Amino acid sequence: MAESSQPTKGRKRKIMSETHTFSHGSSSLLSEDQLLCSICLDVFTDPVTTPCGHNFCKSCLTKYWDKSQHGLCPLCKEEFTKRPELKINTTLREVADHFKKKCGSEKPEVLCDACSGEKLMALKSCLDCGLSLCKTHLEPHNHVSKFKKHKLINPVENLEDYICQKHERALELFCRDDQTCVCQFCTETDHKNHNTVPIEEESRERKIQMVKTKTDVQQMIQDRLKKIKEIKHSVEKSKRSTEKEKADSVEIFTALIRSIERSQAELLEMMEEKQKAAERQAEGLIKELEQEISVLKRRNTELEQLSHTEEHLHLLQVYSSMCSPPHTKNWTGISINTDVSEDTVRTALSQLQQTLNEKLTNTLNDKLKKRVSTELKRIQQYAVDVTLDPETANPYLILSADGKQVRLGDKPQKLCDSPQRFNKCPCVLGKQSFSSGRFYYEVQVRGKTDWDFGVATENINRKGKIIPSPLHGLWAVALRNETQYKAYAGPAVLLRLKKKLEVVGVFVDYEEGLVSFYDVKSRSHIYSFTGQSFTEKLHPYFSPELNKGGKNLAPLIISPVFKTR
């Protein structure tokens, strides 16, 4: 037996240890509200638990039952057929006592009003006596039947605040008409026929409301903490993006500077080569001129000698050859071009500018394409499942069974003209509506010559002609005559696109006031409505437009979004 009882003792010691730990540490886990008796509105003294699970001070519950003569729970009003036997919840008492000790230093010291000599600390304040009493002077309230009915609370300094100043009675009731605490006598005079309830009851209801408010406030705190986290994340993300942009910009302009330097070096080299060519030409001409000068000097010497000769026969023999001019070049139009012409410089600079423009355009296009691709990848994470709403479809429109396709039929269907239905324009809205956040969907337009789609407000005009503009609740892009793309910005903005659209993505950021359109295939940006102010629900909007003699029969198709990684 001794051996078998040993594990039991061990478990008991463990449980007691855990209970001790709970009682000394749980005050940080429990709030003061959870340790308050709903009758006296103070921290539990000798707490007891009713069969329905609610806790009260033993003395408070006993007095409540003595007055009511019914075994009711003061909190949930559950009725007990037999008045339960009350036993003190020792664990809860330890927690409450620990809480009292912990918070005791924060409470003001209240002295006994009945002590004549050295005043002792008050243990309770009596609302009927209007006195704060120490343990000794409180004894009659525990034994004398007359005093047992008095209202006791934890000692307070401002006891007069708990007593009716007009009738000098305890404030036990709350007047809901005048929103003030009153005594029993007040209900027979100033507050006669008013809606009055016990203070405890009003306090319980207000505490319940406070708990709800507290929950709401805590949720608001969490929402704002979450928003702070989102903002910090956005700033950090923006910072990383900015740093990358700066690095990319430095890379781009470094490459451009290098290209400029190379082109400058080529231009300077061309100028240097031009100068060297001029110098080489000058050297050749000077050499040729010096040779002719030597010949002319010899001729000059010969003519000088002949002009003094006495040999007449010899003079006559050489006269013809000496008098004819020597064979020389005509130097009149010959010169050296030592300047680089403006045309040469202009041509070189034009070639340089063209090269730089091509490089800059290609670099920026590549960068923009990469940025849009990244942006599109991000916003595709907000993809929603959009289906067409047949209750809004114009009678001429034919919707697929799955609500993903719409085309124009040859004749109207027999449908009721409800307030939701478009009766003139060939339009239909999506079933889904959005009044906050972000959403994205894609539409296939392959094979069509005309179409409109985007988003519209819930109150867009559905009877008669629609004026396509944000001012009238529509943010959309359109195709007309197979090649004319435009955005309904009021007035319409023509869009110059390099490629024919096949699949278009629509992204909306409600809070940001943004509606953007993307070419999904080329991963490029088409158009954005920015700075909008949305105040109504937004619906996806679609119009396959007229059939144009059979050229525009293809349907608009809401495509599944394939999120890229």
Side-chain angles (χ1 to χ4, degrees):
M1 290 294 291
E3 292 178 358
S4 62
S5 65
Q6 192 65 29
T8 303
K9 292 180 180 178
R11 285 195 297 273
K12 185 176 180 181
R13 282 197 299 270
K14 182 179 179 182
I15 292 171
M16 290 176 66
S17 174
E18 291 176 350
T19 303
H20 177 76
T21 302
F22 173 79
S23 67
H24 285 76
S26 59
S27 61
S28 61
L29 302 176
L30 298 175
S31 66
E32 184 177 4
D33 291 345
Q34 295 169 293
L35 297 174
L36 293 181
C37 170
S38 58
I39 297 177
C40 69
L41 304 180
D42 204 350
V43 179
F44 293 124
T45 300
D46 293 335
V48 292
T49 305
T50 59
C52 57
H54 295 116
N55 302 305
F56 307 92
C57 297
K58 184 177 180 180
S59 60
C60 293
L61 187 57
T62 301
K63 290 179 182 179
Y64 179 83
W65 281 346
D66 289 342
K67 289 180 181 179
S68 64
Q69 297 180 350
H70 293 285
L72 291 175
C73 173
L75 200 57
C76 67
K77 304 302 181 184
E78 181 177 339
E79 187 173 357
F80 310 117
T81 54
K82 183 181 177 181
R83 184 164 169 173
E85 183 181 352
L86 300 176
K87 293 185 178 180
I88 295 173
N89 185 330
T90 56
T91 302
L92 188 57
R93 181 174 64 182
E94 288 184 19
V95 174
D97 291 346
H98 179 69
F99 187 87
K100 288 178 182 178
K101 291 178 182 178
K102 183 179 179 182
C103 300
S105 58
E106 300 174 4
K107 294 183 178 179
E109 294 184 354
V110 180
L111 301 178
C112 176
D113 294 324
C115 290
S116 57
E118 182 182 354
K119 292 186 177 292
L120 301 177
M121 294 292 295
L123 187 62
K124 290 286 183 180
S125 291
C126 177
L127 296 179
D128 294 277
C129 299
L131 298 172
S132 295
L133 304 170
C134 65
K135 184 176 180 181
T136 302
H137 291 105
L138 189 63
E139 279 299 315
H141 287 77
N142 297 326
H143 302 294
V144 180
S145 57
K146 177 183 177 182
F147 293 130
K148 279 185 178 181
K149 297 179 181 180
H150 285 195
K151 183 76 172 179
L152 297 177
I153 62 172
N154 279 340
V156 292
E157 288 182 323
N158 52 336
L159 190 56
E160 62 275 6
D161 292 344
Y162 295 78
I163 300 173
C164 176
Q165 299 301 308
K166 185 174 183 179
H167 302 108
E168 296 186 349
R169 298 294 186 202
L171 296 172
E172 298 179 294
L173 302 171
F174 183 81
C175 177
R176 287 178 172 172
D177 293 338
D178 296 331
Q179 293 291 299
T180 185
C181 295
V182 297
C183 70
Q184 190 65 46
F185 287 175
C186 290
T187 60
E188 300 173 3
T189 55
D190 297 343
H191 298 269
K192 189 176 183 179
N193 298 326
H194 285 194
N195 180 16
T196 57
V197 295
I199 284 179
E200 294 81 3
E201 181 180 339
E202 182 67 20
S203 177
R204 279 196 301 272
E205 292 188 11
R206 295 205 175 190
K207 283 172 68 176
I208 292 171
Q209 186 59 44
M210 285 175 65
V211 170
K212 291 180 181 178
T213 305
K214 181 180 177 183
T215 302
D216 293 341
V217 170
Q218 288 176 340
Q219 185 59 49
M220 291 172 67
I221 291 171
Q222 293 303 315
D223 292 343
R224 280 149 183 77
L225 289 173
K226 183 180 178 182
K227 181 58 68 174
I228 289 173
K229 188 175 180 181
E230 289 177 0
I231 292 172
K232 287 183 177 179
H233 177 71
S234 298
V235 171
E236 185 61 30
K237 186 177 179 181
S238 175
K239 183 179 179 181
R240 291 196 299 268
S241 177
T242 301
E243 291 299 326
K244 188 176 184 305
E245 292 295 324
K246 286 165 64 178
D248 291 346
S249 299
V250 170
E251 184 180 347
I252 291 172
F253 284 104
T254 300
L256 289 174
I257 290 171
R258 288 173 181 169
S259 180
I260 292 171
E261 289 174 345
R262 283 195 299 270
S263 299
Q264 183 186 35
E266 291 172 1
L267 181 60
L268 293 176
E269 185 179 353
M270 181 191 70
M271 293 179 177
E272 187 68 26
E273 184 60 34
K274 189 80 173 177
Q275 177 63 29
K276 290 180 179 179
E279 291 176 358
R280 287 195 298 270
Q281 182 188 12
E283 288 177 1
L285 293 175
I286 290 172
K287 186 176 181 180
E288 193 174 347
L289 284 168
E290 287 177 344
Q291 290 175 349
E292 289 189 1
I293 289 172
S294 297
V295 171
L296 291 172
K297 281 183 176 181
R298 285 197 298 272
R299 175 64 59 87
N300 183 59
T301 301
E302 291 175 355
L303 288 172
E304 178 67 24
Q305 291 174 351
L306 286 174
S307 64
H308 298 288
T309 184
E310 294 296 334
E311 298 179 8
H312 304 293
L313 180 61
H314 177 68
L315 175 63
L316 293 174
Q317 289 177 341
V318 298
Y319 176 79
S320 298
S321 59
M322 294 298 291
C323 287
S324 62
H327 182 69
T328 58
K329 184 185 291 187
N330 183 5
W331 295 91
T332 305
I334 295 176
S335 64
I336 300 298
N337 185 11
T338 57
D339 297 327
V340 179
S341 69
E342 290 185 6
D343 289 340
T344 303
V345 175
R346 189 179 297 110
T347 300
L349 291 176
S350 177
Q351 291 175 348
L352 173 61
Q353 183 178 0
Q354 183 178 353
T355 302
L356 292 177
N357 286 340
E358 288 176 357
K359 289 182 179 181
L360 182 59
T361 300
N362 293 336
T363 303
L364 292 178
N365 285 341
D366 290 343
K367 184 171 179 56
L368 182 60
K369 187 175 181 180
K370 187 183 297 184
R371 179 185 293 177
V372 172
S373 181
T374 302
E375 179 70 12
L376 188 56
K377 187 186 302 183
R378 181 185 68 82
I379 65 177
Q380 282 177 330
Q381 306 306 311
Y382 298 99
V384 293
D385 184 18
V386 174
T387 52
L388 302 171
D389 184 1
E391 297 298 321
T392 66
N394 181 284
Y396 276 90
L397 295 182
I398 299 175
L399 277 57
S400 62
D402 62 358
K404 296 293 184 180
Q405 301 186 25
V406 58
R407 64 182 179 86
L408 193 74
D410 296 327
K411 58 183 180 180
Q413 304 174 73
K414 294 181 179 179
L415 302 171
C416 63
D417 188 17
S418 64
Q420 293 79 23
R421 192 178 304 282
F422 292 95
N423 68 346
K424 293 292 182 183
C425 296
C427 311
V428 61
L429 297 180
K431 285 184 179 180
Q432 294 70 25
S433 64
F434 305 89
S435 56
S436 64
R438 301 164 180 167
F439 64 94
Y440 173 85
Y441 67 94
E442 293 179 355
V443 183
Q444 180 181 309
V445 296
R446 192 180 297 117
K448 294 192 66 61
T449 63
D450 295 78
W451 48 256
D452 302 348
F453 61 84
V455 291
T457 60
E458 194 165 54
N459 291 326
I460 188 172
N461 179 34
R462 306 190 191 193
K463 307 300 177 184
K465 186 178 179 181
I466 295 176
I467 301 175
S469 74
L471 189 62
H472 295 87
L474 179 63
W475 295 262
V477 293
L479 171 64
R480 292 290 182 271
N481 302 321
E482 199 169 353
T483 58
Q484 297 175 8
Y485 294 98
K486 56 185 176 180
Y488 289 135
V493 176
L494 293 177
L495 306 175
R496 302 185 183 280
L497 306 180
K498 294 182 179 179
K499 296 182 179 180
K500 188 174 179 62
L501 297 176
E502 294 186 8
V503 180
V504 179
V506 184
F507 173 68
V508 177
D509 187 328
Y510 195 96
E511 283 75 20
E512 191 69 22
L514 173 70
V515 182
S516 293
F517 297 84
Y518 295 86
D519 181 350
V520 177
K521 186 175 180 181
S522 67
R523 306 192 73 75
S524 59
H525 176 255
I526 298 173
Y527 187 80
S528 286
F529 296 89
T530 59
Q532 307 300 304
S533 180
F534 302 128
T535 57
E536 302 177 33
K537 289 182 179 179
L538 297 179
H539 289 260
Y541 166 91
F542 308 88
S543 175
E545 283 300 324
L546 304 179
N547 287 336
K548 295 293 183 73
K551 293 181 180 180
N552 193 36
L553 290 175
L556 283 177
I557 302 174
I558 302 172
S559 305
V561 178
F562 298 101
K563 300 175 183 177
T564 56
R565 295 183 178 179

